[in-house]
Amino acid sequence: MIRYKNLTIIPTYHSNLDFVHEIRTCFYNSPPDRIAVEFPENLEKKILLGVRRLPSISIIIYFDELLGQQLYIPIIPSDSLIEAIRLGREYGLPIEFIDLFVKNYDPVLTPLPDSYALNFLSLTEFYEIVQKELHFEDLAKKQFNETEKTIQTQKDIDTAEKNVLESESSTQIPTGKEAQDWMSNPREIDDLRNNYMASRLSELIQKYPEEKILIVLGMAHWEAIKILLEHNKGNSDLTAFGPEIQAEIYNILQDDLPKVMLETPNTVLQFEIFRKRQKKAMDKISNFSNSEFELIKFDLFKAIKTIIHRSVAQYHREYNEEINLHKLKSLFQYIRNLPMIESKITPHLFEIVLAAKSIVNDDFAWIVWEECKYYPYAVEDPKLESLPFTNKGILLHGKYFKLRRNIPLKIQKIRLPLKPRPKEDQKGDWRAAWNQDRWDLASHIPEDIFEEDYFRHVRQRSMNLLKDHNVKIHEFTSTLMDGIDFRETIRNWPLEHKIYVREERPIRGEVDSVVIIFDRDDDEMERYPHEMMWYAEHEQESDLAFYSTFPGIELVGPGISRIELGGVTSFFPPRGVPNIWTAKFVKKYPMAKAKADRLLMAAILFAQKKILTYVATQKPKPIFYQIARLLDISILYLPLDRFNPISLRALRNLHVLAGKHTREIAHKYIKKRRI
């Protein structure tokens, strides 16, 4: 913080939680009697209304006819100026709005260092580094000297007519409405604003000399204001000028928060919870002004970790899949590294979602996106209209407008690297389409092809494994048989100097059925209660028996439901297997009461070839090996973790359609699968 007479100045970044902490630290360690903020006085009522609505989010919109744009001021908890006003209201302090309302203001964005450095530097140290690197003081002195020179030149002009003519081409800082009308250079407008704020601060110093006044303004303004105050350049003509403004305040809903907020909405929510707890603790201190202490800082990176951990838990609930520690480590490293591409340290919403997609998959990225947006205070308010956002812009008074922040900040446009998720035109449309044909279920043909390809892959892999097991190694005598076994020869050559050859013995039989058990579902609370037989529509498809979640619970499109398999058996070629999910089947084969055992039992009983493949986390029970041996069938066990988890996930999550006619539109709602 910076001291000047009875002023305490905090130069700040707009919409930045690190500077919000600096405001709170200064406020509690050195409580002011009055607060002044860099907002125009003619927007005071609207801004105070927005602050009263917090933690609900508001924006104030006004039209700049010179720029031809709708400009907005966000009222959000992560803005340091808003935090200063909020603290003033909570503790009953007077608040001064000291900025000048201007139009035609379109400054160039100045790249600023990441505020994460405030975790290691004091605000004073940070400001000194920034102002030296960006030459705030030198520029302020240069501008002041130029202005003084221009004013002196004007004093030498003899006649009023000549004075008017010269004013059109000079660099003099005009006052009043004339300045508002002609200025278009952002530097000239900033100079006018600095003169206005210096005049307001000069008035406050004179009017309240005994009060401690906390000043919160943008990082680039203080050096110019300080020079004006030191030379007593306050101008009462400027402070008397208050242009009329037609501004409106609107409520913002959760889905639209990323369009107006620089910070990730859910991190702002976590800060809001943190702030309430901290305020409650501070209010218990009877007189915190008499003791200095280090205020606990909200940890932004911990908030991001919380979002990721909640997303991992939600992903497990939705897809019954774990994200291992190795992937989580890679995810956090990627989130850390992505901002460095733009010379930043703190990740924002886009980097978090992009990292989730790149390290895990699209489904996880969508869950992370929803978690990042989660802000339960951003809901409809009967007392205030919500601003409708569309792809064309905001819909205001029957017209579409593009929004721009009044003080330009680099708010990254969130163009998700994900296929957009379809939404219902009207709530209930998808359910109505499902209910209409829910008894006439059909499969999605591209998924049928994927399934058959995958089962064929499992069969081929099983045959390759059996071939490896049927190889016998011999010492070379008179014939090479099926070729030299180089591994065995190299291993024995140093001691024996002998060559070994391979004998590949033929396999008796082929792989028939494939049984894949993802989850035995033996718990009392069934996760996969739906049991179904799915018969082939032609000779190139398998008959399927599976157990899964109920169709119709999770709809992804009109008449389209996602299901998750617990276990499945593929009978190929198709053979019209009777329904194994009847009480009669269990009564006849009581050892196959469990659903996973029933799939294996059916594969054994209805096998047409000598080998079947069983893929699961555990081997089958010994009794099934005995039954298979009696029927001259071999069971080949393959551990589930030997298969690609991405392909297994695609096989496990299928879609069921309400009626074959739904196949015509299903491709719009179901993404393609690849092995």
Side-chain angles (χ1 to χ4, degrees), residues 30-42:
S30 180
D33 301 308
R34 186 175 295 271
I35 295 174
V37 293
E38 182 201 342
F39 276 131
E41 190 173 2
N42 46 9

Side-chain angles (χ1 to χ4, degrees), residues 253-404:
L253 301 178
Q254 178 175 283
D255 286 344
D256 299 321
L257 292 180
K259 299 180 179 73
V260 298
M261 292 178 72
L262 193 62
E263 301 281 359
T264 303
N266 191 259
T267 61
V268 178
L269 171 66
Q270 293 184 55
F271 166 73
E272 187 65 28
I273 296 169
F274 171 87
R275 185 186 186 279
K276 286 181 180 178
R277 292 173 179 171
Q278 192 174 70
K279 182 180 183 301
K280 189 176 181 180
M282 294 303 299
D283 288 346
K284 291 180 180 178
I285 302 174
S286 57
N287 191 1
F288 48 73
S289 62
N290 293 333
S291 57
E292 283 202 11
F293 45 84
E294 186 175 350
L295 205 64
I296 296 174
K297 186 173 183 177
F298 174 71
D299 191 334
L300 184 59
F301 281 88
K302 187 177 179 181
I304 293 172
K305 285 183 180 179
T306 301
I307 290 172
I308 296 299
H309 288 310
R310 281 208 307 260
S311 301
V312 169
Q314 181 63 25
Y315 183 73
H316 178 66
R317 285 192 293 270
E318 285 192 26
Y319 297 99
N320 197 26
E321 290 182 30
E322 299 284 353
I323 298 175
N324 58 44
L325 292 177
H326 175 71
K327 276 195 173 181
L328 277 178
K329 181 182 177 182
S330 300
L331 176 60
F332 285 122
Q333 286 177 339
Y334 201 31
I335 290 174
R336 179 199 65 192
N337 294 340
L338 272 175
M340 294 181 184
I341 296 173
E342 297 185 6
S343 302
K344 298 188 300 179
I345 298 174
T346 309
H348 291 294
L349 180 55
F350 178 77
E351 287 93 0
I352 298 170
V353 175
L354 179 59
K357 170 191 167 61
S358 303
I359 301 299
V360 187
N361 56 42
D362 281 26
D363 292 324
F364 181 69
W366 274 114
I367 291 173
V368 170
W369 165 253
E370 294 298 332
E371 285 290 342
C372 285
K373 285 196 310 179
Y374 179 64
Y375 193 89
Y377 298 110
V379 293
E380 292 284 357
D381 186 344
K383 298 180 181 178
L384 191 64
E385 183 183 354
S386 297
L387 188 65
F389 281 79
T390 68
N391 293 332
K392 298 179 182 178
I394 60 166
L395 182 60
L396 200 61
H397 308 309
K399 295 182 180 179
Y400 289 102
F401 295 93
K402 294 292 184 182
L403 269 184
R404 199 209 78 184

Side-chain angles (χ1 to χ4, degrees), residues 64 67 69 71 102-109 184-187 189-190 404-408:
D64 188 331
L67 289 175
Q69 288 181 307
L71 306 184
V102 293
K103 291 188 176 182
N104 204 24
Y105 184 55
D106 191 14
V108 177
L109 282 173
S184 59
N185 189 319
R187 183 178 170 185
I189 297 177
D190 273 331
R404 199 209 78 184
R405 188 157 175 167
N406 66 324
I407 298 175

